[in-house]
Amino acid sequence: MKVGVLIEFTSNTDIDAKFAELKEMGVDSCQLVCWDRPTLQDDAMAEAINKGLEKYGIHATAFWCGWEGRRVWDFYEGQLTLGLIPSDYRVERLKMLMEGSDFAKKIHVTDLATHVGYMPENPYDPKYEEVLVACKAIVEKCKENGQNFLFETGQETPVTLKRAIQDIEKAVGKGNVGINLDPANLIMYGKANPVDALEVFGEYVMGIHGKDGKYPTDGHHLGDEVPLGQGKVNYPAFIAKLKEIGYQGDITIEREISGDEQKKDIRMAKDLLDKLIAE
């Protein structure tokens, strides 16, 4: 396991400076994140990313593709606005994910990740099958591009997520569907303890976010994200469990704030994760 850092970008981002900053921190791994659809058609940005990755010796482990349209990160409006669940947004967001797969191919990244949304726990809910159809389409697209499609954890329970993956595998075959496990999201959404979740879907984990958070305190709002080591993710137990199940990928730090405080928290997170991985 290595420790990486998540980089969000648009066409206006000085990507060379972002990679230089990673190198200065002693980081040689990252996930790249984009929520801006026009950027996915920007060949100049794809070229700049490729040049920067080679120049600084950085490995991009995944491309995290966002989607356009209204999005509210809570337990009420989130049901109506997030991922591929809302029928009003599904077609255009699926197209954007397809474009994201093609962009990932241009930058030679083989894992495409996203939030699918509040997937119903009831497999007989009509929306479950509707979303599964969309997921199968993007999985097939990723297969054509030599990629894996990764569900980012958060809005669904571990059992629901595992069922969805297995139902997709029945239709398109095994091998290129997996999970980008964000342990903080499982806690912030009140869905699971991440250490226990590895018992459910550990064999599908292909990527991990290094993030921390607290459990929700009401039925409307997510729990708070906090600096790594200050939340409810038991990182010593989590890293130990990852070693036990044989996970050999990277852990990519995500801190959803900006500025100097973000940089300070990232450095602190890297020190903690490096220490735990070395034990």
Side-chain angles (χ1 to χ4, degrees), residues 4 133 147 183 260:
V133 169
Q147 298 161 345
D260 290 341

Side-chain angles (χ1 to χ4, degrees), residues 3 5 20-27 228 253 255 260-274:
V3 177
V5 174
E21 197 171 82
L22 289 194
K23 209 63 181 177
E24 188 270 328
M25 288 191 289
V27 173
L228 194 146
I253 297 168
R255 181 69 173 109
D260 290 341
E261 188 71 21
Q262 182 194 49
K263 293 175 184 176
K264 185 190 87 168
D265 289 351
I266 288 173
R267 291 178 187 275
M268 182 174 66
K270 182 180 184 303
D271 289 344
L272 177 58
L273 290 171
D274 281 340

Side-chain angles (χ1 to χ4, degrees), residues 236-257:
F238 183 63
I239 300 295
K241 188 66 177 178
L242 290 174
K243 292 177 181 179
E244 180 186 318
I245 67 172
Y247 177 75
Q248 296 182 342
D250 290 2
I251 300 177
T252 305
I253 297 168
E254 179 182 18
R255 181 69 173 109
E256 296 185 290
I257 58 173

Side-chain angles (χ1 to χ4, degrees), residues 67 70-83 115 117-118 154-156 188-191 216 218-223:
W67 16 261
R70 185 166 173 259
R71 53 186 188 263
V72 182
W73 304 97
D74 69 9
F75 297 134
Y76 275 70
E77 293 297 304
Q79 305 273 355
L80 305 175
T81 62
L82 299 181
H115 272 302
Y118 284 91
Q155 288 112 24
E156 60 287 295
M188 291 161 62
Y189 282 86
K191 295 296 185 181
D218 63 65
H220 198 124
H221 303 98
L222 308 186

Side-chain angles (χ1 to χ4, degrees), residues 160-182:
T160 299
L161 181 50
K162 187 167 188 174
R163 178 195 298 126
I165 292 173
Q166 291 177 333
D167 285 346
I168 291 168
E169 289 178 334
K170 290 175 187 175
V172 303
K174 295 185 176 184
N176 79 311
V177 191
I179 293 169
N180 190 68
L181 170 56
D182 187 318

